[in-house]
Amino acid sequence: MSVKLARADRRAAWMFMAPMLVAMLVVAVWPLARTFYFSFTDAYLDDPTNYSLIGFENYLEVIGDRTWWIAVRNTLLFTVVSVAIETVLGLGIALLINQAIPGRGLVRAAILVPWAIPVVVATKMWEWMLNDQFGVLNQVLISMGLIDHGIAWTANGSLIMGVVIFIDVWMTTPFMVLLILAGLQMIPGEIMEAAEVDGIPAWKRFWSIVLPLLKPAIGVAVLFRVLDALRMFDLAYVLAASSEQVMTASIYARNRLISFQELGIGSAASTWVFLLVAFVAILIIGVLRLDRAAGEAP
Amino acid sequence: MASVELKSVSKSYGGNPVIRGVDLAIRDGEFIVFVGPSGCGKSTLLRLIAGLVPVTDGEISIGGEPVTDVPASKRGIAFVFQSYALYPHMTVARNIGFALETLGLGRDAVRNKVAEVAKLLKVDHLLARRPRELSGGQRQRVAIGRALVRKPEVFLFDEPLSNLDSDLRMEMRIEIARLHDDIGTTMIYVTHDQAEAMTLADRIVVLNHGVIEQVGSPQELYHTPKSRFVAGFVGSPRMNFSTVAATGIGADWLLSGPGGLRLESHVTGNRSTPATVGVRPEALSIVAPGSGRLDGVLERIEDLGHEHFAYVRLDADNSWVVRLPARPREDRDTKVGLSFRDEDLFLFDESGARLDHAASHERSAAALAQTSGGGIAA
Amino acid sequence: MTDAAVALPARRRRSSASYRLERRIKKGFLVVAVGLVLIYTLFPYYWAIVSSTKQGAALYRNTFLPAFDLTYYKALYENRIFLGSLVNSAFVASSTTALSLILGISAAYALGRIDFPQRRGVLMTILMISIFPQVVVLSGMFELINWLGLYNRPSALILTYLLATVPFTTWILTTFIREFPRELEEAAIIDGCSHFRILTKILLPLMGPSLASTGILAFILAWNEFLFALTFILTDENRTVPVAIGLMGGSSRYEYPFGQIMAASVTVTLPLIILVLIFQRRIVAGLTAGAVKG
Ligand SMILES: Nc1ncnc2c1ncn2[C@@H]1O[C@H](COP(=O)(O)OP(=O)(O)OP(=O)(O)O)[C@@H](O)[C@H]1O
Ligand SMILES: [Mg+2]
């Protein structure tokens, strides 16, 4: 291809991308830059034009706040536990759907239902089912004689994090299932048949063949889910508003920004959230890369 | 080592029959080859024996024991796949030794066995590699090694060499034959390749639409095929066929066909009417026009160096292949005669069954053709 | 082959009947597992339907069958605020979807079909934008929206939702476009067709299914969004459905209007579920195309 043609192509490429790039500049890059900028100021939301630069003071203010650390702890706990459960459960359901059994098509369709339901709606549905007096779960447990009076699932401080995780697992396991299923379907059937004929027991087939071959698919799914869980806002907010027991880092940042009107401090808190997510993302991608590199070595 | 027996085995997929009532007794140590057109159910039959798919009906036994309900892992068989199906994330050594890991032999014993098998198959210098770092032929050896190490009672091969180039195929074919001579284990082998079938098999099983057409040694199938289907399937290039018109003369038939073919044949045994004649390319020779059994026009010559194929057109619908050791002297587009011996002629009836016969020609077909002006003009 | 020092353990087979039994038990387990998964995934929504059709005291009794009392639905239908939020949601989600598909397909053509040196860099940036937490842009976005005079207007949401949907549609459409064989356009390129004509006359007509699955995913994303909708809308009549439901509540814990919330929940979820069940295969294709090849 001639140089002139290549240049024309390049220009065309930028033209085609221009609308998208402009949109990203407006809704992503610019607001992000402004957030960074505000994080170094003492601005308030009611009058954002009146401020002065104060250096890193806001950042120090945030990490000096006990509530921030509670929020960080909650976020990390929530992320680790719910992603771990989702992965195991997603793997189990994916393996189940991958079997030749009656009803697998139905399961495949049904699994998408929790995924499509809005977070707010799912939270309300479970809140109702877990209601201490009238919730169906307590009623069932009582009628089975397991407990004698209803458990206050969503009001009890030590249980509420468990409830948040439980609801999140319900909503996001489908995503895991789909990604792992896609990975499973890429394993050639003859490999599994070879192992079967060779008399490899089922647990060893799973552990030594299926799992290693699924590792890339699981890795990608976990990466997506972890990054999503780290920024979780709506579920905890709808279930418990600003209760400290389930406050996430995102809720903390928004509280400072909107409820307390502290534009500067809220921006600094947001930036900390950003750094947390970026750090974890780099960590996971690094591990995945290492893994792949190790797999390629002779 | 074990015998394998199938009793009226059937398999359907969603009501669609793929294998229909197959009966087959395979002796201990025999080398059996399944051949048949694509989609006829060879792989399915092999998988039924392996236990990878359950039978719809019928019984399978291995070594005299019924195994119809026994899972694949407990049948004592090994399977070599067309795609090799090596574990991509394991080294060659682990691929071969993987099945032994759960048997509680101990590390050293496993390593010794792997080394022994690897040496036998000449892959001992590749033990640390992964499958993707191997050539096709090497992968195939590893796949065979993986099967071998378990000392199975029966080996099953599904087109194991079809992904290799022709040189490598020949080499591996010889090695598989030698392996069978050495270990004497029962082997069941699916292939599309005539040469593999003819050279490896003790007996060939010809399948067609899920039923067995014929079982027999390669020689039996070649010389006494039961049907037109088998005759056409065994041998390469395939047998030449032409439909003929038959007129009964007492106990004999007068057959006339394209290219001035005129034969009188005495069908022994079966009394049904001949409908097709067949002659193998290697049984034909080119003679001067009018002096053979039928006449045609030499259309094309393929020169393969060590052998030559001449294509002779008898009429609009029929063109016969002649296999010759040397290039024919005749030029293209000239009229030639074809001759063959009586015992090389095959007769088939309308249903395709072969008829035993004693063919004789009263008069030279070519002579007849000349007097009647038959055949086709040059 | 010479015999190795260690003989393999003899193979032991059990009776056919025991294998048959084993197979049946395994199948039984699998069927039970399928049943459990179905209950786990479907029961909450079923229970919302049941609860939304019960009145008063019946609501607090746990019969597992719906009562077909549509009072809550009637109340919902007469509730102007709720109907308004449905309209807002539909408007915001469909505008966002349309806009992101247009921006996405145009960019995806460049990223999927034209070779230029910065392509990888652009794709990586897009991926990064799609993973960073929304709360990070909240301050800057607040300022932007105020400055544009869009505060408390549903159209503000369309703008902000582009942050999530545009990278997403661009990414998925790029992977879809790459799956089409290049030969499709080669004839057109030789004829000297412009890129615009190639995109609109050759690729677009083939991309219906890809656009549908991407569009559905973008729609669901926009329909379900909560954080921006909560933050940038102040008054009830401008809210979207998720926030409207999220903020529904009674004057005390014991008056919590669960029946009504369940009716609203069923209503806003039903279109999504129908959409998902109809386009099941396409949605799965879209989700996995975006992730697996990433
Ligand atoms: N899992 C299956 N479900 C439905 N039909 C199948 C299945 N497996 C095979 N068949 C059908 O059974 C028939 C026989 O297939 P099989 O693979 O045994 O053929 P084959 O003789 O091995 O062919 P080839 O020489 O091409 O390998 C085919 O018509 C095929 O479509
Ligand atoms: Mg086959």
Side-chain angles (χ1 to χ4, degrees), chain A residues 120-134:
Chain A
V120 174
V121 170
T123 312
K124 290 288 181 192
M125 272 167 25
W126 279 104
E127 197 181 359
W128 168 229
M129 287 173 63
L130 297 173
N131 186 284
D132 51 351
Q133 286 198 308
F134 313 114

Side-chain angles (χ1 to χ4, degrees), chain B residues 65 69-71 74-76 100 105 109 113 116 150-151 153, chain C residues 1-4 6-9 11-13 16 19-20 23:
Chain B
E65 276 182 67
D69 291 300
V70 175
K74 294 284 193 312
R75 292 197 182 186
L100 303 179
L105 294 182
K113 278 196 155 296
E116 182 191 342
R150 291 174 46 235
K151 298 208 167 163
E153 295 175 336
Chain C
M1 193 169 69
T2 55
D3 242 3
V6 196
L8 294 180
R11 268 178 275 268
R12 256 173 302 145
R13 286 191 199 122
S16 287
Y19 286 118
R20 264 198 300 270
R23 209 159 45 218

Side-chain angles (χ1 to χ4, degrees), chain B residues 42-44 82 158-159 190:
Chain B
K42 303 179 296 289
S43 301
T44 307
Q82 181 177 2
D158 193 354
E159 306 194 30
V190 171

Side-chain angles (χ1 to χ4, degrees), chain B residues 13 18 36-45 159 192:
Chain B
Y13 283 111
V18 173
S38 187
C40 69
K42 303 179 296 289
S43 301
T44 307
L45 194 55
E159 306 194 30
H192 269 130

Side-chain angles (χ1 to χ4, degrees), chain A residues 130-259:
Chain A
L130 297 173
N131 186 284
D132 51 351
Q133 286 198 308
F134 313 114
V136 63
L137 186 68
N138 275 342
Q139 305 275 349
V140 168
L141 290 178
I142 289 173
S143 68
M144 279 163 58
L146 293 175
I147 51 176
D148 42 53
H149 58 89
I151 297 172
W153 302 100
T154 53
N156 185 323
S158 56
L159 285 179
I160 191 158
M161 182 51 113
V163 170
V164 169
I165 290 171
F166 180 85
I167 299 176
D168 187 69
V169 167
W170 184 76
M171 286 188 304
T172 51
T173 302
F175 179 78
M176 279 288 187
V177 172
L178 293 181
L179 290 202
I180 295 176
L181 199 57
L184 268 178
Q185 280 160 354
M186 288 203 293
I187 301 179
E190 292 197 341
I191 287 185
M192 298 316 297
E193 288 180 339
E196 202 182 324
V197 170
D198 279 353
I200 316 291
W203 62 268
K204 196 170 166 93
R205 288 205 294 264
F206 171 73
W207 196 254
S208 301
I209 300 175
V210 175
L211 216 50
L213 293 181
L214 270 186
K215 238 177 1 189
I218 294 179
V220 170
V222 166
L223 174 69
F224 274 84
R225 279 298 310 136
V226 163
L227 298 181
D228 209 35
L230 284 175
R231 62 189 181 187
M232 192 272 275
F233 173 83
D234 32 16
L235 172 51
Y237 186 86
V238 172
L239 196 66
S242 310
S243 138
E244 264 191 14
Q245 271 115 11
V246 291
M247 177 187 281
T248 62
S250 283
I251 296 182
Y252 175 88
R254 184 184 178 278
N255 270 355
R256 294 304 294 246
L257 185 71
I258 307 291
S259 312

